[in-house]
Amino acid sequence: MNNYPVEYQKKLTIKKRLTDYYREQSVKNGLVGMEKILAYTPVELQPRAMRRGLVVAQMGYEDILALISQKKPFTIVSGLNPSSQLHLGHKVLFDMLLELQQMGGELYIPLTDDESYVDGKVDKLLDGTRNAKEKIIPVLRKMGFNADKTHYLVDTEQTELYQFAIELSRYVNMAELTHLFGAESLTNPGQVFYRGCVQLAEILMPQLPQNGGPRHTLIPVGIDQHPYILLARDVAKKVGMVPPSELVMRFFPSLEDPERKMSKSSPESALFLDDKPENIRRKIKRAFTGAVGSLEEHKKFGGVPESCSVFMLQQAFNPDDVEVNNLYDRYVNGDLLMGELKEKTSELMIRELARFREGGI
Amino acid sequence: MKNINVNTRQQLNLLLSEKLLVQKTLGNIGAVSGKIRVLYGETYDKYGIAIDSIKYYLFLEYLAKTIGNDVDCMIAEGDLHSVINPSVLEKDFLLHEGKRRTESIGKIFEVLKIRHVTVKLMSKLFAEEKIMNLVTNVSNLVNEREDLQNLLIPTVLKNKIAQERESGFRYAAEAIGLALNFDLKVGPPREENYDKVAQIIGKEVAEEYKAIYLRPSYPFTKDFSFYLTHPEVEEYGLTPYKAGSNKLQDQRIVIGVTSEEMIGDLIASAYVPQDIVYANPLVDLASMVAMNEQIRQDKIDVFELGKRIKILIQDREQLTIKILELLREVV
């Protein structure tokens, strides 16, 4: 038995639950941890999200690294559901996509207006299409991606995508789909076609002969999207394409609860790209941290940064590795007070969003 | 029988826990006693003697000096075993190469002041009745027991399993039979696969089987992704005594073959991860230099050994100079 205060033990328990969750998910899904990737890859070739621990597992990323090492091109596919506005969880992904593009990646961003509709996230199909074209793509264009190597594809406008999806339909059966996604995700024919064929086509389309033929493709995903990659790897082998590689990113935590996702449907849990400074300050001030309430106990026992939604923002967005490491050490030792962390983090996020609004990243 | 004293045992334990040199051990090495006979077996190919073999020769001497004078180490040079695989070409050349190689190794011992190690051709060892009896016992056991055969399967390439089954896993049975004639075996980590069987058989036909596995021997590469895309090389390294292991003879130092300029280039341009627990060919070179220095000065200090290895790894220029000095002597 230790003599830690109950509140501190609770924070430790949250850290353990989060660690165990990703470890169990990785093992269960046959994914590989990041230890060796981080050990062998030079720091300058590790995207920030990777070296800060926001990428938790991978499958086949070694093949992509071999191409990066030889300065050869590769493909990245990262789909985006345009059902509502973008938040900072997306920005972590975009930052990583930008870094990977600078290492040789040609980027395909399918905007899945069809998915938005079949899942009931928008009332009309055209709402998703309009969101994609009028709200999402203009934001993405400001992210700094190389325009010559970035392809924005609004699903419902891609004849080639749907033709390919129909072709792929014969390589998947209903039993497989139900096993991978669960019956609750396949409640209408649109969901069956989207999950069973269209998403596969999005992943494999860059390998069609007219797009350059078979090649290594990297798909950054959340752990909940892993079934898509498994299916795509299986079908790729059947159709003579290269099974895609995968990087699994941890979900971006809600500001209110590090064990839940930052979500568009809960505005106080998320920072949005167009949030005003006063909103950012308010949300961060109220955010969940890994410190105990008593100052005396915090100084004595220290805090648990891994359970802190505010520190996660530092990990994801502070460009200065030395400062983040220093904050971590001070946090663990109890030298960093939450007022200082929240103030620093508010300024960081206001600055990041201002840079974004000015057209940079 | 005379047990090794406490101080020596402490030094031995320190040596065996030096992770820059020793990967792992099998059995209770500290329980060795009396006149200790140590075996290191190696085969070879047409490409010559890789520098990694020297690490093993130096380690045997270092081990002997750490334990004391009651240690005899033997290198079994596998002339017959180098040509046992039907796919090996130039069998006549390789058979004769064994004799030439033992002569070269003898010269290396002389210049590196390796006094506790001898080298003998396996064809001569297998002519000894005691060894042959043990090999026959092991072969019979392996042939009778499917569980042992199954354990040996990982030691064989997939396309050679049927052929090995047919031969009664002759190569493995002979390697195990030979090793059981000794108190302790030193080898690369991949040999652990044989030794799992040797340990089982050892309990039935001899004493507890003991082995020391040195840290794997790694090739030089400029490509940071090499070890990620070659996980087997990352885990087990190359076969130290086969210069052409994995067809990577151009990415390692072969004595008398790799030019000084090339050696300098291999060392200077090698990509190595920051954490030295991962694959790092500089660690192999540094450990050779460090062991050689202490053996020459007859000042064995295991604690200093690890420190010296770490210093050498940090200074590639110095490491290159030291390695070239060592090689100039042995060529």
Side-chain angles (χ1 to χ4, degrees), chain B residues 44-237:
Chain B
Y44 50 82
D45 56 25
K46 63 181 180 182
Y47 295 100
I49 302 177
I51 196 168
D52 309 279
S53 278
I54 291 188
K55 181 170 86 171
Y56 283 82
Y57 307 159
L58 287 166
F59 180 78
L60 292 173
E61 179 70 9
Y62 200 92
L63 178 72
K65 279 180 173 283
T66 303
I67 296 176
N69 284 328
D70 273 353
V71 179
D72 279 339
C73 302
M74 178 178 289
I75 297 173
E77 203 62 22
D79 49 352
L80 289 175
H81 291 78
S82 298
V83 298
I84 203 167
N85 188 329
S87 64
V88 170
L89 302 172
E90 299 161 315
K91 288 184 194 288
D92 286 341
F93 166 79
L94 285 173
L95 272 176
H96 287 102
E97 183 66 5
K99 192 164 177 297
R100 203 186 66 78
R101 202 170 146 113
T102 54
E103 286 167 6
S104 301
I105 294 170
K107 281 180 196 159
I108 291 172
F109 289 174
E110 213 169 287
V111 295
L112 297 184
K113 301 194 186 318
I114 292 173
R115 311 271 191 242
H116 296 82
V117 189
T118 52
V119 58
K120 203 164 184 179
L121 287 173
M122 270 193 211
S123 55
K124 293 200 173 152
L125 280 169
F126 280 102
E128 292 175 21
E129 194 182 344
K130 188 185 164 209
I131 290 177
M132 265 323 289
N133 286 343
L134 208 42
V135 168
T136 306
N137 283 348
V138 172
S139 287
N140 291 342
L141 265 175
V142 169
N143 279 318
E144 283 164 16
R145 286 179 49 179
E146 204 170 337
D147 59 327
L148 298 179
Q149 291 176 23
N150 289 338
L151 281 170
L152 285 171
I153 284 174
T155 68
V156 182
L157 290 173
K158 274 183 190 160
N159 60 353
K160 300 271 165 52
I161 290 173
Q163 177 191 310
E164 281 299 309
R165 273 195 192 282
E166 208 170 299
S167 77
F169 289 92
R170 183 182 155 202
Y171 185 96
E174 292 187 353
I176 293 167
L178 177 64
L180 286 172
N181 276 279
F182 291 79
D183 302 302
L184 179 59
K185 195 193 84 169
V186 173
R190 190 186 289 275
E191 290 184 1
E192 192 186 6
N193 289 324
Y194 289 128
D195 295 347
K196 282 178 191 158
V197 181
Q199 205 175 25
I200 296 169
I201 295 173
K203 283 178 187 161
E204 300 190 22
V205 298
E207 293 176 6
E208 186 200 16
Y209 188 79
K210 303 179 191 70
I212 300 172
Y213 306 105
L214 298 195
R215 190 183 150 104
S217 303
Y218 296 112
F220 294 88
T221 172
K222 296 174 187 174
D223 175 4
F224 75 84
S225 70
F226 176 86
Y227 289 106
L228 293 168
T229 51
H230 296 77
E232 203 175 326
V233 177
E234 202 261 345
E235 185 175 357
Y236 290 113

Side-chain angles (χ1 to χ4, degrees), chain A residues 36 39-40 42 45 62 65-66 69, chain B residues 223 225 228 234 271 273 278-279:
Chain A
K36 285 194 178 171
Y40 285 104
L45 293 178
E62 298 88 352
L65 282 175
S69 171
Chain B
D223 175 4
S225 70
L228 293 168
E234 202 261 345
Y271 175 79
Y278 291 96

